[in-house]
């Protein structure tokens, strides 16, 4: 067969299979370590990430840390050993990540933080952080109370605070943001503050202790998330008081359960913190792997929902 005939035959064969690439593109693999399943918010966050990965054709390796940092460190090391393309995680606490993140950097695997930040000396240990401004969420909760207190300027408000997991970014920041704003009114006083670990059961347990210690002198409950607030509402009712009336209830997250509580008159306001970070994470992961520049800090857009708008807004909630 001469050279010309070989060329014609080769062209014909290629034309017969125009849709078959020489090598199929390898799908992007992301290793994701989740905090746990401690709340409605976290469940929605996990679902958003899993759904977005499936929709984008991304191979997701998912690990539930069950609220333990050591489990997350093990998961990250496992992802490094598996040579995933990107590691993403929502850290249980802010500190204690330097060593394992340096291991990821040495392996040339980029890291993306979601929902919660880390406290590290070297900011190059992670490529980007996607999430809410927790300090601003605390401020928004505080501003709502400042406005409410302005209606009765001579009244003192005793506030009890249900903190999130000790050492976690949202617990630290939501506390600081709230305290910063209410400092403008000396009649707003935090009389007790204790962790409820972001769970409904612990929120109820700690609120019961607050009520035993202070009883009817409590005027406001500020909870760092809706699940703790809902648990505390149960404790308030069991103590013979009316949540939302006898004790103002201020919370953060904006889950459906909070809107239902507001419609029932048992909660006064929730500050939104969107868990629907999946699509953003997949998009940023693709850009990072492609070598495209990405913002170091990507803040989600969120609102504040007082009880007055709860009935209208509930049908719009996706989590």
């Amino acid at each position: 067969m001469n050279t010309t005939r070989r060329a014609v035959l080769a062209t014909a064969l290629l034309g017969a299979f125009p849709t078959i690439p020489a090598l199929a593109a390898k799908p992007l693999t992301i290793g994701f370590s989740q905090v746990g399943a401690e709340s409605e918010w976290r469940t929605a966050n996990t679902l958003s990430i899993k759904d977005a990965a499936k929709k984008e054709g991304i191979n997701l390796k998912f690990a539930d840390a069950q609220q333990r940092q050591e489990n997350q460190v093990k998961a990250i090391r496992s992802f490094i050993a598996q040579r995933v393309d990107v590691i993403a995680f929502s850290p249980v606490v802010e500190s204690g990540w330097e060593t394992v993140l340096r291991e990821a950097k040495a392996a040339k695997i980029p890291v993306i933080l979601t929902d919660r930040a880390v406290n590290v000396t070297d900011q190059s240990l992670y490529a980007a952080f996607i999430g809410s401004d927790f300090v601003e969420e605390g401020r928004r909760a505080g501003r709502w109370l400042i406005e409410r207190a302005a209606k009765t300027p001579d009244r003192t408000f005793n506030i009890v605070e249900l903190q999130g997991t000790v050492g976690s970014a949202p617990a630290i920041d939501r506390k600081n943001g709230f305290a910063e704003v209410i400092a403008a009114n000396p009649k707003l006083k935090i009389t007790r503050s204790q962790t409820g670990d972001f769970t409904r059961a612990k929120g109820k347990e700690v609120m019961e202790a607050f009520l035993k210690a202070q009883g009817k002198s409590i005027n406001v409950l500020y909870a760092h998330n809706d699940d703790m607030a809902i648990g505390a509402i149960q404790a308030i009712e069991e103590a013979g008081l009316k949540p939302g009336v006898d004790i103002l209830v201020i919370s953060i997250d904006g889950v459906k359960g909070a809107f239902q509580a507001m419609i029932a008159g048992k909660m006064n306001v929730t500050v939104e913190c969107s868990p629907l970070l999946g699509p953003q994470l997949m998009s940023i992961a693709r850009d990072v792997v492609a070598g495209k520049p990405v913002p170091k800090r990507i803040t989600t857009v969120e609102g504040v929902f007082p009880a007055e708008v709860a009935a209208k807004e509930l049908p719009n909630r996706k989590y």
Side-chain angles (χ1 to χ4, degrees):
M1 186 182 293
N2 62 36
T3 304
T4 302
R5 288 186 65 190
R6 285 197 189 96
V8 171
L9 181 58
T11 302
L13 287 170
L14 287 171
F17 305 100
T19 61
I20 301 176
L23 287 171
K26 179 187 173 186
L28 187 70
T29 297
I30 297 177
F32 184 83
S33 175
Q34 181 61 285
V35 171
E38 77 281 4
S39 63
E40 284 186 56
W41 192 99
R42 191 63 56 189
T43 300
N45 181 238
T46 292
L47 185 61
S48 174
I49 289 164
K50 288 182 175 180
D51 284 352
K54 185 176 181 181
K55 184 177 180 181
E56 293 289 326
I58 290 172
N59 179 27
L60 181 71
K61 294 182 181 293
F62 184 88
D64 183 338
Q66 298 179 334
Q67 298 270 49
R68 298 176 65 182
Q69 184 177 29
E70 58 266 36
N71 290 343
Q72 287 199 303
V73 171
K74 287 178 184 176
I76 292 169
R77 286 188 170 134
S78 173
F79 296 149
I80 293 170
Q82 294 175 66
R83 302 296 306 169
V84 300
D85 298 302
V86 176
I87 291 171
F89 74 111
S90 182
V92 175
V93 294
E94 283 192 339
S95 60
W97 301 105
E98 294 267 357
T99 301
V100 73
L101 292 186
R102 288 189 188 282
E103 291 170 19
K105 185 177 180 179
K108 297 184 174 10
I109 301 175
V111 173
I112 300 173
L113 307 176
T114 70
D115 172 42
R116 300 180 179 184
V118 295
N119 184 5
V120 291
T121 56
D122 180 1
Q123 299 300 306
S124 73
L125 294 178
Y126 64 93
F129 166 52
I130 306 167
S132 303
D133 184 335
F134 299 134
V135 175
E136 183 58 27
E137 289 170 355
R139 290 183 186 129
R140 288 171 178 170
R143 289 185 196 117
W144 182 90
L145 182 56
I146 286 277
E147 291 176 10
R148 179 65 178 257
K151 297 175 182 178
T152 53
D154 296 327
R155 182 183 175 190
T156 296
F157 289 80
N158 294 320
I159 306 162
V160 293
E161 180 181 34
L162 282 171
Q163 297 181 42
T165 303
V166 174
S168 69
I172 294 166
D173 293 350
R174 288 171 182 171
K175 180 176 182 61
N176 290 341
F178 184 79
E180 173 193 315
V181 169
I182 67 166
N185 186 339
K187 291 188 177 293
L188 301 178
K189 300 176 180 179
I190 297 176
T191 56
R192 270 181 168 73
S193 182
Q194 187 175 324
T195 180
D197 283 335
F198 284 128
T199 69
R200 194 169 297 195
K202 193 67 183 290
K204 182 175 186 287
E205 177 187 322
V206 176
M207 190 66 200
E208 286 171 344
F210 287 163
L211 288 162
K212 285 178 183 177
Q214 286 189 242
K216 294 183 179 180
S217 69
I218 298 172
N219 308 116
V220 179
L221 163 66
Y222 168 48
H224 288 188
N225 82 336
D226 292 334
D227 277 77
M228 289 191 296
I230 292 167
I233 285 169
Q234 291 179 294
I236 293 168
E237 290 181 312
E238 289 174 8
L241 298 171
K242 291 183 178 179
V245 180
D246 297 325
I247 298 176
L248 300 179
V249 180
I250 303 168
S251 186
I252 297 177
D253 271 0
V255 301
K256 286 181 179 178
F259 283 81
Q260 291 162 347
M262 287 191 289
I263 291 168
K266 298 177 182 182
M267 187 182 290
N268 302 89
V269 64
T270 185
V271 177
E272 186 177 36
C273 178
S274 177
L276 308 179
L277 306 180
Q280 279 183 298
L281 173 58
M282 302 308 147
S283 175
I284 294 299
R286 286 194 186 281
D287 286 347
V288 167
V289 170
K292 296 180 181 178
V294 298
K296 195 73 173 179
R297 177 71 166 91
I298 302 157
T299 305
T300 49
V301 179
E302 296 152 342
V304 178
F305 299 94
E308 293 78 10
V309 303
K312 181 180 178 181
E313 181 61 25
L314 179 59
N316 301 326
R317 306 309 294 171
K318 295 180 180 179
Y319 55 92

